[in-house]
Amino acid sequence: MPRRRIPLLRLAWRNTRRHMRRTLLTVTAVTVAVAALTYGPAHVTGILGDFLDSYARTESGHVRIRRDGYTARERFMPVYLNLPRVDELVAAARAHAGVEEVLPRIKAPVLVDGAGSNRGGLLLGLDLERETGYLDPAAMVAEGRLPDPGSAEILVGRLFAEKLQVSVGDTVVLLAQTAYRSLGGLSAVVTGLAASGMAQFDNTILIAPLDQAQELVDLLGGSTEILVFMDDPEAARALARVLQEELDPLVPGGVEARSWKDEGMLASMMQVAEAAFGVILFIMLLMAALIIVNTMLMSVMERTQEFGMQAALGMRRGDIVALVLAEGLVIGMMGAVAGGVLGSGFALWLERTGIDIQSAAKAIDLPFQGVMYPDWQLRFVIAAAALGMVTAVIAALYPAWRAARLTPAEALRT
Amino acid sequence: MTPETLPGRLGWLATLRLAWRNLRRNKRRTWITAVTVSLAVLLLQLSIAVMIGVERQSYDNLINYQTAHAKLYAAGYFENREELPLDYTLTDLEALQASVQQVSGVAATTPRLAFQASLSDGVDQVACFGTGIQLAGSDTEVFRIPQAIVAGEYLRPGEEGMLLGSGLAELFDAEVGDWLTVLTKTRDGAYEALDLPIVGIVGTGNPVIDRNTFLVSLETARYMLDLQEEATEVAVRFSLGAREMATLRALVERVEQLGYEVKGWREAEADFLAFAAMKRLGSVAMLSIFVVLALVGVTNTVLMAAFERTREVGMLMAMGLRGGGVRKLFLTEGALAGLLGGAVGSLLALVLIAYLASVGINITALYGEMDIGYPVKDRMYAALEPLTLVVVWLATGLAAAAASLYPAARASRRPPVEALRHA
């Protein structure tokens, strides 16, 4: 006798509707979990992503090339560990596929003499035009204009300028250790004030055209680092290895090419965030699963006679299991949809309004701006919804097994 | 059901006994619910204990090594404190200390001289903070630097030398006995240089100290900065058990008319407190998701129980039990389920917390050399507080009762006749 296909999903749908309130409560458990799982990655990616992005643009690039031994002495910012004839190196790096931009920078601690008072600051010598979209000095100009390459001009952090008591049009004198460890000086006109929103930065920063910085530290044609930016930042490690091999012989004393993924702080931060998120995710799903098990067990027990009847009418064990699993799936789907909508709504709302961490950010020495934004992505919703549904089906396994274990006669008798 | 409690009312004891029996009627369901609740409670208790522990450790660290309980400054200093200016110094130190010492709740005072400086090993140079401390008698009565010495020893009175932050020592690859050059700028803008041997290395876990600070005797600091009997601050430690806010207020009253500023450590470290508050808020947001899940579980269970027992409830009501009694019965059942799960979770948490409170979490292994925002050294310890554990456990019962409100109300609203007819 040919067996008629059992419309499992439709049956399951009807069964879940028999106790709408109970179903909705069970669905709530899945909803909460899926919403949290949708928002969680958006939150982490948003903050970490924001942080990584701003760290890469202002500090590390995707691959950073410096003279060998620089990293160990990083805090001193030693100009004597430098890269001479930087144009060759830049051209070599630029020749690689997937490289978006290559930027030489000079970083040097300087002593700045303003209107009668002097202070220590950090000089950045930049290729000003090319930096647009990276360190983006043009976007930081709060007053005045960018310095012109070739002339002794300088952009000063706004808070720094306040403390030096200088404003646009004034002249400041910079003193710095040169590449040969002697003392170099430069007198420059302040053409503008910079405001990045990061207090640490605005308090110490001076931005000069690369050629002026080269002159100050006596490093014509050279720089202290080269930042490589890539179309696909994930490929940074491979490129760093290639560049290490390729550029090392070009520089006396050797180079070190490090990818942004190997910056110790970033790596450990991501590891901890991922591990913590994994634990949270697991416990959340476990709790949702337990709630589903509880409800479905009750619904199965209630329907003992019904299952007995169905079995007596020829429904096989496998069919009963499939039916109960399908009910779990229906609950999972409802929760996945509601949770996905809820989590996405929350993430998108926060993406618009932002989370203000201004005061708290000051306590940690990280290049965070005042407001954080989550980063909602469709794949987070899909992953969360899938996890929610899989969990619901897995949770339904035990009740399904209980239902199938009944023999028709016994089940009918109860 | 004891006869004297009927009709119409159920005593608390009878309610409890009934609810407990009802819970035992479906053990599997009760346990599944309890496990759901226990997971949430476990996380809650653990997070609270770790949070309290790390915050307390941070506060102790700040007070012991950096901020003391309060500091006195000359008017105008606090506003510009990040600059470590030398333009607002305290001069009449002994009289000031004597006066402050009389305030009730003050245990000890010590003058300090904070200044900007650069350290150099002849090759590299780095900007950092110098602190002049009084060796004859008083700095150790306020601060706990000696217990943070990781190599070498504490400065002796009259000794020329420095205590170097461990991060700076690592940076210069310097050891006890090595010499570093200290470059300073006097108030008049003249530069001074002085070679000093490293007498000890200080590792506190506080990045401000470890990565940026060296300490010298007050006399050495004054000599380098060309200052007389001056200090930039007088740090104050409160006696054990003194009420912090009251002591601070008394302190303010004492010295304000003299033209000094007093700042408690909470005000000085407002940024850190804001950071800690943000961390707390983040944890609360995350934990609340688990709490919601657990409550959904409880509501669900009680709803099922109420549904299952519709006829029974009808019977009870037909025998004279009022709606309030039925509600109480189901609320108690929910609360007991919550308390059961809460007890399991809390006991598990207790074991873990006891472990984390004695052994601690190795943060260096977790985060490497990264600044995690809390000034904590090497390990962070959870705070084992029985009272908190019990309060959270009892709160679980309350929350579970609250989660049972809806099913309880539903069960009590059905007219007995209809309930009895329920299949």
Side-chain angles (χ1 to χ4, degrees), chain B residues 299-320:
Chain B
T299 309
N300 217 340
T301 309
V302 178
L303 191 71
M304 286 191 284
F307 181 76
E308 239 173 33
R309 279 184 238 133
T310 307
R311 288 177 60 160
E312 208 176 297
V313 170
M315 179 75 77
L316 281 170
M317 288 178 89
M319 285 165 72

Side-chain angles (χ1 to χ4, degrees), chain B residues 203-244:
Chain B
T204 63
N206 183 336
V208 174
I209 312 286
D210 297 352
R211 293 174 47 99
N212 295 300
T213 302
F214 67 92
L215 301 117
V216 294
S217 75
L218 202 51
E219 293 73 32
T220 309
R222 285 173 179 153
Y223 170 74
M224 289 191 287
L225 299 165
D226 196 18
L227 293 175
Q228 304 309 310
E229 299 293 303
E230 296 164 65
T232 52
E233 64 195 37
V234 167
V236 182
R237 175 171 282 270
F238 296 166
S239 359
L240 217 64
R243 296 229 314 283
E244 192 182 312

